[in-house]
Amino acid sequence: MSASPQAVRLILLGPPGAGKGTQSKLLEGRFGVRQISTGDILRKHVSDGTALGKEAKAYMEVGAFVPDAIMIAMMEQQLVGLDAFVLDGFPRTVTQAEALDATLARLHKPLSAVLLFDTDHAALVRRLTGRWSNPRTGRTYHEEFNPPKVAGICDEDGGPLEQRPDDKVDVVEKRLQVYDEQTAPLVDYYAKTGFLKHIDALAPIEDVTAQIFRAIGARDGATA
Ligand code: ADP
Ligand code: AMP
């Protein structure tokens, strides 16, 4: 398939709990653009008990990153044959970002933008500790900010919601620390490329979606 320069190709950059997954699902629904969530892919491996899942689980449960080589190989597989995408949770290190640049250059699929979700620590802790997820689809809710119609049940598939083991407060603090140390340097990395756009992720969910639409020059689900 030849690559279209107008295709929406986004990286959502920001700490855990910033709202990347929430917005990716909304973009999928409105644009049909595929979300690639490395966290969701890894959790599926863990629940399927694959060799990768067994290896990844040890890192995930303590809030550490899965090694770059594994993540880069996973992302290369995902990107083949895909023209438009929203990357949620990748890249998370400078090594991953450099590998992604090389892959996208080889596939002739330039990025549209890197959207940086600006938040603060207290909001992130509150969002993560109140998050409920559908492990089958990756869709997330929040007990206060975005509750399902029936507590503990997914609006979409009617199945049970779960709290992620790594959303416990001590693991959350570790994940936020790892973000500051290993992922925050990507802000400078992408600022230098001119792709970086800031999103006020402390705003309500619909406002964040509207900001994203403005940032990518889209109106009501159609690219301008
Ligand atoms: P991430 O994918 O960046 O880790 P999520 O999209 O899963 O974050 O959001 C984390 C939690 O915060 C979820 O419970 C979600 O419902 C909630 N949330 C997401 N965006 C907002 C927002 N703009 N305002 C309030 N709560 C939000
Ligand atoms: P997330 O669902 O994005 O919060 O990711 C959950 C966990 O999966 C992280 O805390 C990491 O352990 C692991 N993970 C997801 N994406 C990556 C990545 N790009 N690099 C390293 N580890 C990752």
Side-chain angles (χ1 to χ4, degrees), residues 8-9 32 56 65 70 77 82 85-86 96-97 109 116 129 134 136 138 152 163-164 172 175 191 199-200 209 216 222:
V8 176
R9 300 188 197 107
F65 284 169
I70 294 176
Q77 268 181 4
L82 205 58
F85 46 79
V86 177
Q96 291 179 17
K109 293 177 187 171
L116 176 63
T129 54
N134 180 336
R136 298 163 300 282
Q163 285 194 292
R164 278 171 42 179
V172 162
R175 289 162 65 206
I199 300 292
D200 171 13
T209 309
I216 64 176

Side-chain angles (χ1 to χ4, degrees), residues 42-104:
L42 289 169
R43 279 184 288 279
K44 174 91 170 66
H45 275 283
V46 172
S47 69
D48 289 350
T50 67
L52 169 58
K54 287 187 180 119
E55 185 175 357
K57 186 168 187 269
Y59 297 99
M60 295 168 80
E61 62 194 7
V62 295
F65 284 169
V66 174
D68 283 335
I70 294 176
M71 299 312 300
I72 289 166
M74 175 187 288
M75 185 51 66
E76 279 178 1
Q77 268 181 4
Q78 292 289 322
L79 287 172
V80 171
L82 205 58
D83 202 24
F85 46 79
V86 177
L87 303 191
D88 167 9
F90 186 99
R92 262 170 146 111
T93 65
V94 171
T95 303
Q96 291 179 17
E98 288 169 348
L100 179 65
D101 279 348
T103 303
L104 294 179

Side-chain angles (χ1 to χ4, degrees), residues 3-12 23-24 26-28 30-36 79 82-88 104 108-115 195 197 212-224:
S4 140
Q6 291 85 26
V8 176
R9 300 188 197 107
L10 297 175
I11 293 175
L12 305 191
Q23 297 299 329
S24 304
L26 292 168
L27 289 168
E28 266 194 342
R30 294 191 202 179
F31 281 118
V33 57
R34 168 99 70 85
Q35 172 203 30
I36 304 179
L79 287 172
L82 205 58
D83 202 24
F85 46 79
V86 177
L87 303 191
D88 167 9
L104 294 179
H108 304 290
K109 293 177 187 171
L111 286 172
S112 315
V114 178
L115 304 180
F195 284 117
K197 300 193 177 181
I212 292 175
F213 275 43
R214 282 198 295 278
I216 64 176
R219 197 162 45 81
D220 201 25
T223 44

Side-chain angles (χ1 to χ4, degrees), residues 15-22 127 131 140-142 145-146 201 203-205 208:
K20 305 179 301 296
T22 302
R127 286 185 185 180
R131 172 160 71 180
T140 60
Y141 298 83
H142 190 279
F145 307 129
N146 185 24
I205 291 172
V208 175

